[in-house]
Amino acid sequence: MKVETTDTILRNFITLYSRTKKPVDVDFRKLVSWISYGERATHYIHSYPAKLLVHIPHFFLSSHIVAPDNSKIYDPFCGSGTVLLESILLGKNAIGSDVNPLAVLIAKVKTKLLNITTLNQTKVWLKENIPTEAISNQLDVINRDYWFYPHVQKKLLRIYDGITRIRNKNYRDFYLVCLSSCVRRVSLANPRMSVPVKLNVDNYDENDFLRGKLFDRLKQLKRINVINEFFKIVELNIQRMKNFAQMKLSNSKSSAFLLDCKNSIENSSILSKNIDKESIDLIITSPPYIGAQKYIRASSLNLGWLNICQASKLKYYESLSIGREHYHKKDYAVIKKTGIEKADEILVNIEKINPLRACIAASYLVEMKDAFKTIEWALRPGGYLVLIVANNHVCKIEFPTQDYLQEIAKIYGFITKLILVDEIHSRGLMTKRNKSSALINKEWVYLFQKD
C-alpha cells in the first residue's frame, strides 16, 4: 500500500514538474505520515550534527520508480548512516562513505544487526572486566584537561580499556559508540552546541535562571558516576538494537567506508575496492552546506577518546571536508573560478566584502564538482540521484547553491526530473552558520536521472 501510494505521488510530482518546470512545495513529514518523528530502529544510537530527516530518504526508497526491488543504494556523504539504515529496513543493500571516521563508525554500528543475547552477555562481562586502574593513559584527546574533570578522565580511560578487551570487532564497535555518546555527556562542553563550547556561568546574568541551571550542571559533573552513565547509554542502545531486530525482515546488508569524496577518482583504489563502476541504482545524499556544520570539530572529543584520531590529525581530517571554513590567507589571495558563470559573478561582489567567505563559497563549488565525478562514476546509466541541499546567503548576498549544484549535475549528464522544496522544521538544521550568513530555512530536494 505504501509503495503504491509513494509511486502515485512521485509520478504525479514528476508530471507536474515536467509541465510547469517549477519546484513543488512539500512537507515530507506529512507526505510520509506513517513514520512518526522520534525513535526508529537505531537512528538515535548516537547524536550527529544536522542529521537528514528520515522521511526524505524513506519516501524515495519506498518507490519502485526510483528504487525497484534489489536496488543497490549509495550515499557518498553518509554521515551517521540515515540513508543506509532506511535502505536496509526497506530491503535494499546500501553502501555509504564519509570523510569523518566517527561518522563511518556510527554508520557501521547503526546498520549491523547484532545478537541481543550476546550484547547483554557482553555487557555483563564488561561490567566485571573494566579495570580498576587505567592502562591506556596515552590517549591523545585534544585539550583533555580543559574539557574533562580528572576523575572523569580516569573513568573514561578505564571504560575504553575494558572495551578494547572485547574480542569480536562488531560488538567492540557497538560499545565504542556507546562510549562516544558518553564522552559528551560527561564533558564540560555545552550539550546544546554541536561544536564543543565550554560551559561558562559568566555568559549569563546574575538573575538569569539558566545561570542557576549551569551551576547545577557543573556540580553534577564534579561528582558524576561516569561508569553508571555509560551503562545507561548501553541499556538504551541495546533496546534500540532490539527495535532494529524487530523491524528488519529481509537479508539486506549495509557497509560504510572512509572516503574523501572530492578526491576519490584521483585516488580510485579505495573507491573501486568498495564499489564497482556504474553498479549503483540510486544515490541519495545530503552533501555538507557551505560552512554549515563543523563535523570534525564537533567530533573532536569523541575521536580522541575512541583512539581513532590523534589531536594532531584533526586539522588534516578537517581539510578533507567539503564546506570547511578554515583557509590560509594565501588560499584566498586569488579566488578560484568555479566555471559557473552566475556564481563567479556573485563571488566577485562577495570578495569585495569578505575575501575569506568568497574563498569558502568558491572552494565549495569546485570541490562539489569533483564529488560529482564520484557520483557519476558510481551510478549506472538510467539510475537516479536524490540530492538534498539548502538555500544559502553569503555576506547577506543570496547565493543559490541549489541552482549551481543543478548546473554541475547537468555538466555530468544528469537530467532534472523533479525539484521539491520543504520548509526546515528541525533547529539542528535551521541555523546561522556564522555572522555573515543567513538562516537556512528550506531544503531543496532534487531528483536527477543519469543520461
Side-chain angles (χ1 to χ4, degrees):
M1 178 66 178
K2 291 172 186 173
V3 169
E4 292 174 359
T5 302
T6 303
D7 280 346
T8 301
I9 294 170
L10 183 56
R11 193 175 290 111
N12 289 340
F13 282 159
I14 292 171
T15 300
L16 177 61
Y17 177 77
S18 67
R19 189 172 69 246
T20 65
K21 298 301 178 185
K22 293 181 179 180
V24 180
D25 290 325
V26 296
D27 184 336
F28 274 101
R29 288 169 178 78
K30 292 180 180 177
L31 203 60
V32 189
S33 58
W34 55 88
I35 293 182
S36 59
Y37 193 71
E39 287 278 357
R40 175 173 164 80
T42 50
H43 276 302
Y44 287 165
I45 204 166
H46 194 291
S47 61
Y48 199 74
K51 279 186 177 181
L52 177 61
L53 179 70
V54 171
H55 302 64
I56 298 176
H58 187 96
F59 174 75
F60 290 99
L61 290 163
S62 297
S63 169
H64 280 148
I65 296 172
V66 296
D69 293 339
N70 301 316
S71 291
K72 196 171 185 179
I73 315 301
Y74 175 44
D75 183 351
F77 299 99
C78 73
S80 62
T82 300
V83 170
L84 309 188
L85 181 55
E86 285 304 307
S87 296
I88 60 176
L89 288 175
L90 289 166
K92 276 88 174 174
N93 292 324
I95 303 172
S97 61
D98 202 278
V99 76
N100 185 347
L102 179 64
V104 172
L105 176 65
I106 298 167
K108 285 180 178 178
V109 170
K110 181 184 287 187
T111 56
K112 180 70 176 178
L113 184 57
L114 300 177
N115 182 280
I116 306 303
T117 300
T118 306
L119 273 178
N120 279 312
Q121 289 172 344
T122 306
K123 177 189 69 179
V124 172
W125 179 91
L126 187 57
K127 282 183 177 180
E128 296 173 351
N129 285 274
I130 290 177
T132 54
E133 292 293 333
I135 300 168
S136 302
N137 198 34
Q138 301 305 311
L139 290 184
D140 189 5
V141 181
I142 188 167
N143 299 328
R144 201 163 88 179
D145 293 335
Y146 180 81
W147 293 111
F148 300 92
Y149 286 129
H151 78 97
V152 170
Q153 295 183 38
K154 290 177 182 177
K155 297 295 195 304
L156 289 175
L157 284 166
R158 287 173 55 196
I159 295 168
Y160 171 79
D161 282 334
I163 293 171
T164 58
R165 299 177 185 182
I166 299 171
R167 292 182 180 179
N168 185 293
K169 186 179 186 305
N170 291 328
Y171 291 87
R172 185 166 67 245
D173 284 350
F174 174 88
Y175 282 92
L176 283 173
V177 165
C178 294
L179 174 59
S180 180
S181 290
C182 185
V183 163
R184 284 297 293 269
R185 187 177 293 191
V186 299
S187 75
L188 291 167
N190 190 328
R192 301 177 67 184
M193 309 291 288
S194 60
V195 172
V197 176
K198 194 171 185 179
L199 295 166
N200 187 352
V201 293
D202 293 333
N203 290 338
Y204 301 91
D205 295 333
E206 287 287 342
N207 298 324
D208 193 328
F209 81 99
L210 289 174
R211 185 181 175 94
K213 290 186 70 174
L214 184 52
F215 267 119
D216 291 341
R217 172 66 178 160
L218 291 171
K219 283 182 185 178
Q220 180 193 17
L221 287 171
K222 285 180 180 178
R223 61 176 185 270
I224 196 166
N225 189 318
V226 178
I227 293 176
N228 282 354
E229 289 298 314
F230 168 73
F231 280 106
K232 286 178 186 177
I233 292 167
V234 168
E235 293 287 354
L236 288 171
N237 282 345
I238 290 176
Q239 182 57 53
R240 290 172 177 128
M241 193 60 71
K242 284 182 183 178
N243 296 340
F244 181 25
Q246 292 168 358
M247 295 177 68
K248 188 176 184 297
L249 303 177
S250 71
N251 293 320
S252 54
K253 295 180 180 179
S254 172
S255 62
F257 63 101
L258 199 62
L259 182 72
D260 175 9
C261 197
K262 67 181 184 298
N263 289 316
S264 58
I265 297 300
E266 288 75 8
N267 303 296
S268 59
S269 58
I270 297 174
L271 182 61
S272 57
K273 181 181 176 181
N274 291 276
I275 299 175
D276 293 329
K277 185 177 182 179
E278 297 188 337
S279 65
I280 302 299
D281 300 292
L282 171 64
I283 292 176
I284 303 179
T285 195
S286 178
Y289 303 151
I290 298 174
Q293 290 290 346
K294 303 170 183 67
Y295 294 98
I296 299 299
R297 282 181 60 194
S299 307
S300 58
L301 301 180
N302 313 68
L303 288 166
W305 281 108
L306 301 190
N307 202 22
I308 293 175
C309 174
Q310 295 179 339
S312 60
K313 278 198 166 185
L314 289 171
K315 286 186 178 180
Y316 165 73
Y317 279 109
E318 185 177 350
S319 73
L320 302 180
S321 303
I322 296 176
R324 64 194 177 280
E325 294 191 314
H326 290 157
Y327 287 89
H328 296 291
K329 282 190 175 181
K330 61 181 177 63
D331 295 325
Y332 52 91
V334 178
I335 304 302
K336 298 175 183 177
K337 293 292 183 182
T338 69
I340 302 169
E341 186 177 348
K342 290 182 179 178
D344 287 332
E345 290 174 0
I346 293 175
L347 285 166
V348 169
N349 295 327
I350 295 172
E351 184 181 9
K352 294 174 183 176
I353 302 169
N354 190 325
L356 173 59
R357 305 314 307 177
C359 173
I360 292 167
S363 298
Y364 175 84
L365 292 181
V366 170
E367 292 174 357
M368 279 303 299
K369 268 188 172 182
D370 291 333
F372 260 88
K373 293 179 185 176
T374 302
I375 291 169
E376 191 274 337
W377 183 92
L379 194 65
R380 68 169 175 81
Y384 289 92
L385 163 64
V386 175
L387 189 72
I388 302 105
V389 297
N391 58 305
N392 274 96
H393 284 73
V394 181
C395 296
K396 299 182 180 180
I397 297 174
E398 185 177 5
F399 194 77
T401 311
Q402 67 277 5
D403 294 343
Y404 304 145
L405 293 182
Q406 183 184 18
E407 191 166 334
I408 292 171
K410 186 177 180 181
I411 293 169
Y412 284 95
F414 288 92
I415 301 165
T416 304
K417 305 295 288 185
L418 175 64
I419 305 174
L420 301 172
V421 182
D422 189 10
E423 297 285 340
I424 292 177
H425 303 278
S426 168
R427 295 199 64 82
L429 278 175
M430 193 168 63
T431 178
K432 273 197 174 185
R433 291 138 293 166
N434 52 69
K435 64 183 180 181
S436 59
S437 65
L439 200 68
I440 297 176
N441 56 13
K442 289 184 180 180
E443 283 187 303
W444 297 68
V445 181
Y446 284 81
L447 176 64
F448 298 108
Q449 187 172 27
K450 184 177 174 181
D451 198 358

